[in-house]
């Protein structure tokens, strides 16, 4: 209802994966993965920093992993929004980690790189692949994240996209994207489980599909379990069998690659030969049978069943309620996994879409809807927040304010009071996680509410409001509500990048005028203004006469005229002000349109039309 | 100034009663979200996006409240100006207090024995007690307008919700 008829907007879905990344788009009504100039769909999520500021991404970078492992970063997604202690055991990783506030960084020959910058390189590569294939600038992208990603990881993903110059239409949970890909093809209704075993993360989501609405009922998972762990099991088995202990980083990479190849081979063969020549001249020559591999991976597989049970309980469902299971992620090709899932649910999982591509395909469908390209506009995703949000209270305990699996967007307020006479400031510590102790949860940020008027202990009424938007991103505000005195602040969690950070990083990577602050601001202001004018013209054409009187309509048209006159000017501030003024002038109109559309949707609803 | 400031029942187009048609509730909710969700306003003006977020947030809050029987009853009483006093009114009939103690003891015993089956059985027992109380609530709220009786039942249900949460938490811990 908010967009006018227009030309097809170029929008893509991006699956930013731990091991591989993909980009897809909807062409002639069909979601398709875009290929590189050599016809390959997957882009290995590997970034190699070379001499003289050069960067290579993908297969060419992957080839350098053994030779130049310290400067070739794989699986950077595991580090997004994480501190060193969150990552766990780093002894098998060849990188030089640098601890930094909020997020770990990696030292390379191109300098210290944050996982956000590394991920941005992958996104840039996919962006240019898409722009080449589609022949134009992208309007925007839907980027997928594991459903279990916390606020820090989501914020970092969004920052990486901004750094890559992508307009993020929405962050979408990977399992939801997979369901979108399957749901539309199969027109399925009912309860579906999405079992997503990627390279580095395991996610399970329970969705209810009905009449184009995708509702996430619950999510669960393990952010440190993935296909890579199966490689590691084989790797450890190789070491055991050959009686080796310490290896050079290059030999480690080599054997991990051999382990991965063996794993993939065993999907369709009874046994795999593993041969490798190590740097000290030693020859590895082993044979791994499917049986032994199944035994090696048994414990990893059973680790995926616990989150499944938890997700079912959260959604108050039994195994018998499940209509189908969607398999996502290359690791689900392993026959022992398909078998374990089939045994658990008493039915074979769905595998007719390529498990490597299904997430990108679904993201592209959603991107197409969000960009306004679909006329039948009947797809609606209702996503949930994956982890509870809370505040620190006395004794290092966490008080939950928003329970996990609440539907987005949402807001929740909680009242607090002062505990000392004359107290004028209060510290607020925001946490995410399910555990009771502050130390067991993820700290999203601390902030201080100052300027509380001095009063007796317990007299102040401080309302802390959490607002979580449709991307699952949080902002917190606090306000003291007595005696008309108000203090009000909004925090962005500390690990998010500021506009200055982004520009700084753009400068250092491009060193070009495009990163100039004013030029960027002007360009953004113009894009903003054009979008606003387009949206308002469409709204006026559709509902202007029905919902506005002549005078009201005239006010909006005159503000729109003023903005249009400024479009050519080189003054971002003036454009910005005119945009604000026009936005302000349309508040009542927008509210009436919203009310009217809801009234119309609910009108004529009688009990006999409500059978489902 | 906008319709989203209506009360939850009005917003979802339902009569303010405890007994509701769940299918009707689900459908109204989805119809509203289909109109107001932020996904529909990605290309909208910032005013539209802000109002869409407020509407969608409000619709989620209304749906969450009305979907859950305890929250729905609490909300109906709130509309009548009756506070359920769950924080400070802990007076309960002796019989219910006995039941509470029995459940607490059984939970401790089952957790100690790591008996997930026993905990699951307790969850079922609590759910069936909740269903009984909900039937009483319907009489008190929809037929007799007996607000104080209803408030006491809400306090009982709220207690059962709490212990159910604890039992579920125990099961999760045992499974890890």
């Amino acid at each position: 209802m908010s967009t006018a008829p227009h030309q097809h907007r170029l929008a893509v879905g991006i699956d930013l994966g731990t091991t591989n990344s993909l980009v897809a788009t909807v062409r002639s009504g069909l979601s398709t993965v875009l290929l590189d100039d050599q016809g390959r769909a997957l882009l290995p999520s590997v970034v190699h920093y070379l001499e003289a500021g050069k960067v290579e991404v993908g297969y060419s970078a992957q080839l350098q992993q053994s030779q130049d492992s310290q400067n070739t970063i794989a699986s950077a997604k595991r580090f997004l929004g994480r501190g060193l202690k969150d990552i766990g055991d780093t002894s098998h990783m060849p990188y030089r980690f640098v601890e930094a506030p909020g997020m770990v960084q990696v030292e390379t020959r191109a300098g210290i790189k944050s996982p956000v910058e590394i991920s941005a390189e992958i996104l840039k590569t996919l962006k240019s692949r898409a722009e080449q294939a589609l022949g134009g600038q992208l309007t925007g992208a839907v980027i997928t994240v594991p459903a279990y990603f916390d606020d820090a990881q989501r914020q970092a993903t969004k920052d990486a996209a901004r750094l890559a110059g992508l307009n993020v239409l929405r962050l979408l949970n990977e399992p939801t994207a997979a369901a979108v890909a399957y749901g539309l093809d199969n027109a399925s209704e009912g309860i579906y489980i999405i079992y997503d075993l990627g390279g580095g993360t395991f996610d399970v989501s329970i969705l209810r599909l009905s009449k184009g609405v995708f509702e996430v009922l619950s999510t669960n998972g393990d952010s440190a379990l993935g296909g890579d762990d199966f490689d590691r099991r084989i790797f450890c088995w190789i070491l055991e069998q050959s009686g080796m202990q310490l290896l050079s980083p290059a030999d480690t990479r080599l054997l991990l690659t051999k382990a991965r190849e063996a794993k993939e081979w065993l999907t369709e063969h009874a046994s795999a030969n593993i041969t490798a020549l190590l740097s000290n001249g030693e020859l590895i020559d082993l044979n791994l049978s499917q049986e032994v591999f199944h035994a090696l991976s048994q414990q990893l597989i059973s680790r995926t069943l616990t989150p499944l049970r938890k997700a079912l309980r959260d959604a108050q469902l039994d195994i018998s309620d499940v209509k189908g299971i969607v398999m996502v992620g290359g690791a689900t090709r392993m026959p022992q996994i398909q078998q374990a899932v089939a045994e658990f649910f008493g039915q074979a999982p769905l595998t007719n879409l390529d498990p490597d591509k299904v997430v990108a395909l679904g993201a592209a469908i959603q991107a197409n809807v969000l960009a306004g390209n679909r006329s039948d506009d009947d797809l609606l995703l209702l996503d949930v927040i994956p982890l509870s949000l809370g505040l620190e209270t006395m004794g290092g305990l966490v008080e939950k304010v928003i329970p996990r699996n609440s539907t987005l967007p949402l807001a929740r307020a909680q009242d607090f009071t002062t505990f000392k006479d004359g107290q004028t400031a209060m510290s607020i510590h925001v946490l995410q996680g399910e555990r009771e102790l502050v130390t067991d949860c993820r700290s999203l940020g601390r902030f201080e509410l100052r300027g509380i008027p001095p009063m007796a202990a317990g007299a102040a009424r401080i309302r802390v409001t959490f607002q979580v938007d449709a991307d699952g991103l949080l902002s917190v505000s606090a306000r003291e509500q007595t005696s008309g005195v108000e203090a009000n602040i909004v925090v962005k969690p500390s690990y998010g990048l500021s506009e200055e950070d982004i520009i700084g990083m753009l400068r250092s990577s491009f060193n070009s005028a495009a990163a100039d602050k004013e030029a960027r601001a002007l360009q953004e202001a113009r894009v903003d203004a054009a979008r606003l004018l387009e949206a308002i013209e469409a709204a006026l054409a559709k509902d202007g006469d029905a919902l506005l009187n002549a005078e009201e309509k005239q006010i909006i048209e005159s503000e729109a005229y003023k903005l249009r006159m400024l479009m050519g000017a080189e003054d971002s501030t003036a454009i910005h002000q005119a945009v604000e003024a026009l936005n302000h002038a349309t508040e009542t109109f927008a509210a009436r349109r919203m009310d009217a559309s809801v009234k119309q949707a609910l009108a004529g609803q009688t009990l006999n039309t409500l059978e489902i | 100034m906008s319709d989203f400031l209506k009360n939850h029942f009005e917003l979802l187009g339902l009569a303010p009663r405890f007994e509701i048609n769940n299918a009707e509730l689900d459908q109204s909710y989805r119809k509203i979200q289909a109109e107001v969700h932020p996904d529909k306003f990605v290309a909208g003006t910032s005013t539209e996006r802000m109002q869409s977020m407020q509407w969608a947030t409000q619709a989620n809050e209304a749906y969450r409240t009305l979907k859950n029987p305890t929250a729905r009853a609490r909300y109906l009483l709130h509309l009548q100006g009756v506070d359920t006093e769950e924080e400070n009114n802990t007076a309960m009939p002796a019989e219910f207090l006995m039941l509470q103690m029995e459940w607490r003891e059984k939970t401790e015993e089952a957790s100690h024995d790591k008996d997930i089956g026993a905990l699951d059985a307790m969850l079922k027992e609590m759910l069936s007690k909740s269903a009984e109380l909900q039937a009483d609530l319907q009489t008190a709220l929809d037929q007799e307008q007996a607000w104080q009786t209803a408030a006491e039942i809400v306090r009982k249900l709220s207690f059962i919700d709490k212990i159910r949460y604890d039992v579920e938490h125990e099961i999760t811990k045992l499974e890890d």
Side-chain angles (χ1 to χ4, degrees):
Chain A
M1 81 184 228
S2 60
T3 45
H6 54 74
Q7 79 286 16
H8 185 87
R9 291 192 173 98
L10 301 181
V12 295
I14 292 179
D15 173 4
L16 180 62
T18 310
T19 318
N20 294 298
S21 298
L22 297 93
V23 58
T25 196
V26 174
R27 279 201 278 206
S28 323
L30 268 183
S31 190
T32 31
V33 169
L34 299 173
L35 308 178
D36 68 6
D37 48 18
Q38 296 184 51
R40 297 173 298 202
L42 300 182
L43 177 73
S45 302
V46 184
V47 176
H48 180 213
Y49 291 96
L50 297 89
E51 299 290 352
K54 277 202 211 139
V55 183
E56 55 185 5
V57 179
Y59 287 101
S60 54
Q62 199 173 41
L63 289 175
Q64 299 305 313
Q65 269 182 292
S66 308
Q67 275 87 30
D68 192 13
S69 45
Q70 290 191 335
N71 298 297
T72 310
I73 319 299
S75 304
K77 184 176 178 178
R78 283 196 173 191
F79 316 139
L80 272 177
R82 309 270 78 178
L84 198 51
K85 71 170 167 54
D86 304 319
I87 297 170
D89 179 20
T90 56
S91 61
H92 62 280
M93 299 184 200
Y95 315 127
R96 286 169 291 175
F97 287 108
V98 181
E99 182 68 303
M103 201 188 310
V104 69
Q105 310 207 317
V106 183
E107 195 182 338
T108 71
R109 71 161 63 84
I112 291 177
K113 296 289 174 187
S114 113
V116 169
E117 290 170 275
I118 301 165
S119 303
E121 294 295 344
I122 299 166
L123 292 171
K124 265 187 238 166
T125 307
L126 294 173
K127 177 175 181 254
S128 74
R129 180 191 291 189
E131 288 181 339
Q132 243 160 23
L134 302 174
Q137 269 217 318
L138 298 182
T139 301
V142 166
I143 300 182
T144 59
V145 290
Y148 224 55
F149 255 22
D150 68 21
D151 197 68
Q153 293 164 301
R154 281 166 201 265
Q155 187 66 56
T157 305
K158 208 170 181 182
D159 286 342
R162 284 172 67 208
L163 195 55
L166 283 166
N167 172 34
V168 181
L169 298 170
R170 179 74 73 238
L171 296 180
L172 182 62
N173 287 331
E174 287 161 9
T176 310
V180 170
Y182 265 104
L184 293 181
D185 289 351
N186 300 353
S188 322
E189 306 237 322
I191 304 289
Y192 282 79
I193 305 282
I194 318 297
Y195 182 102
D196 178 356
L197 189 60
T201 53
F202 173 64
D203 284 292
V204 51
S205 294
I206 302 183
L207 306 191
R208 180 165 57 205
L209 277 61
S210 83
K211 297 178 176 66
V213 178
F214 291 65
E215 254 176 290
V216 179
L217 300 180
S218 67
T219 73
N220 216 297
D222 187 335
S223 57
L225 175 66
D228 297 353
D229 294 304
F230 291 77
D231 304 351
R232 298 261 315 141
R233 283 289 148 100
I234 297 178
F235 171 81
C236 292
W237 177 82
I238 297 173
L239 294 190
E240 240 175 64
Q241 295 295 307
S242 54
M244 289 181 299
Q245 279 165 343
L246 284 174
L247 288 179
S248 69
D251 284 341
T252 301
R253 279 295 348 149
L254 177 67
L255 288 186
L256 278 171
T257 306
K258 293 290 175 188
R260 192 185 67 230
E261 288 167 2
K263 174 186 77 179
E264 286 165 5
W265 179 261
L266 286 172
T267 292
E268 298 191 6
H269 302 87
S271 71
N273 284 320
I274 301 169
T275 53
L277 186 61
L278 300 184
S279 50
N280 64 3
E282 193 178 337
L283 181 72
I284 305 270
D285 188 6
L286 293 165
N287 185 279
L288 177 61
S289 71
Q290 219 175 43
E291 239 181 342
V292 171
F293 179 42
H294 288 189
L296 288 176
S297 50
Q298 205 47 54
Q299 189 242 348
L300 291 174
I301 292 172
S302 61
R303 261 174 75 192
T304 69
L305 300 181
T306 306
L308 271 178
R309 285 192 204 97
K310 284 186 197 166
L312 281 168
R313 181 166 312 106
D314 277 351
Q316 299 192 357
L317 292 169
D318 279 330
I319 282 170
S320 59
D321 298 319
V322 175
K323 180 110 181 273
I325 308 105
V326 172
M327 300 296 262
V328 183
T332 62
R333 288 202 182 89
M334 283 186 266
Q336 66 267 43
I337 289 185
Q338 297 189 1
Q339 201 185 326
V341 170
E343 268 166 30
F344 185 83
F345 288 104
Q347 58 176 308
L350 294 168
T351 49
N352 50 315
L353 290 178
D354 183 337
D356 280 323
K357 294 180 183 162
V358 59
V359 167
L361 292 174
I365 292 169
Q366 174 72 346
N368 194 46
V369 171
L370 295 183
N373 288 332
R374 257 170 70 133
S375 48
D376 56 334
D377 232 10
D378 58 357
L379 175 69
L380 179 66
L381 303 182
L382 296 170
D383 241 335
V384 300
I385 185 165
L387 298 162
S388 302
L389 288 168
L391 293 170
E392 175 168 356
T393 60
M394 301 287 237
L397 295 176
V398 181
E399 178 165 342
K400 291 213 175 105
V401 180
I402 296 175
R404 71 168 183 273
N405 295 327
S406 305
T407 309
L408 301 173
L410 56 90
R412 208 61 55 79
Q414 192 112 333
D415 287 343
F416 292 86
T417 188
T418 46
F419 60 94
K420 272 191 216 147
D421 286 339
Q423 186 178 342
T424 58
M426 179 177 242
S427 167
I428 293 163
H429 187 193
V430 184
L431 297 127
Q432 189 162 30
E434 307 315 312
R435 309 281 293 277
E436 288 149 20
L437 293 177
V438 167
T439 45
D440 294 333
C441 287
R442 168 91 193 174
S443 170
L444 294 183
R446 285 171 197 274
F447 63 94
E448 188 116 313
L449 179 67
R450 292 199 189 83
I452 302 171
M455 46 188 128
R461 210 149 66 85
I462 293 149
R463 174 156 293 183
V464 180
T465 306
F466 288 68
Q467 170 83 55
V468 186
D469 68 14
D471 288 324
L473 291 175
L474 167 75
S475 57
V476 186
S477 60
R479 149 195 303 224
E480 202 292 310
Q481 321 209 82
T482 54
S483 64
V485 182
E486 287 186 359
N488 198 356
I489 57 160
V490 175
V491 280
K492 273 272 157 215
S494 53
Y495 41 75
L497 297 181
S498 68
E499 197 55 34
E500 268 66 37
D501 293 337
I502 296 261
I503 287 163
M505 286 177 176
L506 283 174
R507 276 227 178 84
S508 67
S509 62
F510 293 138
N511 202 15
S512 75
D516 179 76
K517 197 172 178 182
E518 173 56 23
R520 191 177 155 92
L522 186 61
Q523 199 205 348
E524 280 179 0
R526 282 184 183 147
V527 170
D528 236 34
R531 194 170 78 161
L532 177 64
L533 286 167
E534 188 192 341
I536 285 174
E537 270 160 26
L540 281 175
K542 189 162 179 281
D543 298 319
D545 293 331
L547 299 176
L548 295 171
N549 66 34
E551 189 192 345
E552 289 167 333
K553 196 173 165 187
Q554 203 269 324
I555 292 173
I556 295 175
E557 278 169 346
S558 110
E559 291 296 339
Y561 177 78
K562 281 186 212 160
L563 176 59
R564 202 168 291 116
M565 290 298 99
L566 278 169
M567 286 292 275
E570 299 288 315
D571 184 351
S572 68
T573 315
I575 296 177
H576 188 67
Q577 279 166 355
V579 162
E580 290 282 293
L582 178 54
N583 255 320
H584 181 69
T586 60
E587 267 168 29
T588 309
F589 183 39
R592 284 184 197 157
R593 295 185 77 219
M594 204 83 84
D595 291 349
S597 73
V598 170
K599 271 203 192 85
Q600 201 182 356
L602 291 184
Q605 172 166 299
T606 59
L607 283 178
N608 35 5
T609 62
L610 285 170
E611 288 154 38
I612 290 191
Chain B
M1 83 181 164
S2 183
D3 282 4
F4 71 79
L5 296 172
K6 288 174 172 177
N7 85 41
H8 296 339
F9 287 98
E10 289 165 355
L11 187 79
L12 289 161
L14 300 172
R17 293 169 55 84
F18 180 73
E19 185 180 26
I20 55 168
N21 179 330
N22 267 309
E24 193 181 350
L25 173 65
D26 288 354
Q27 196 157 12
S28 299
Y29 167 69
R30 286 179 202 164
K31 277 184 177 167
I32 291 176
Q33 285 294 16
E35 297 298 324
V36 305
H37 194 273
D39 279 0
K40 305 285 162 187
F41 295 90
V42 168
T45 67
S46 63
T47 303
E48 284 177 327
R49 278 180 280 149
M50 198 183 70
Q51 291 185 359
S52 143
M53 172 119 124
Q54 289 172 331
W55 255 104
T57 298
Q58 197 61 21
N60 280 334
E61 180 64 21
Y63 181 66
R64 183 183 73 95
T65 306
L66 299 194
K67 186 83 182 165
N68 176 301
T70 313
R72 182 166 72 242
R74 189 183 295 125
Y75 186 70
L76 273 168
L77 288 167
H78 166 77
L79 291 179
Q80 292 298 330
V82 177
D83 183 351
T84 50
E85 297 184 312
E86 285 152 74
E87 299 295 318
N88 42 35
N89 186 344
T90 51
M92 290 272 178
E95 179 199 351
F96 191 75
L97 285 173
M98 289 298 290
L99 185 63
Q100 282 187 38
M101 270 163 55
E102 193 190 316
W103 278 344
R104 287 279 176 212
E105 276 166 21
K106 273 195 194 164
T107 308
E108 265 170 45
E109 212 171 292
S111 325
H112 183 263
D113 299 342
K114 301 190 171 26
D115 186 347
I116 293 181
L119 289 170
D120 263 331
M122 286 190 59
L123 280 182
K124 293 226 164 65
E125 194 183 326
M126 290 171 194
L127 281 175
S128 98
K129 181 72 187 170
S130 288
E132 246 174 63
L133 289 170
Q134 282 160 19
D136 296 346
L137 255 186
Q138 195 191 318
T139 313
L141 287 168
D142 294 348
Q143 287 160 35
E144 296 169 353
Q145 280 87 46
W147 311 133
Q148 292 310 327
T149 311
E152 185 181 309
I153 302 174
V154 168
R155 286 194 290 275
K156 286 182 182 170
L157 277 169
S158 152
F159 167 79
I160 298 178
D161 290 346
K162 243 178 260 158
I163 184 165
R164 252 179 57 202
Y165 176 85
D166 291 345
V167 172
E168 281 168 9
H169 190 73
E170 255 336 293
I171 295 177
T172 310
K173 268 203 323 213
L174 287 178
E175 275 179 354
D176 278 341

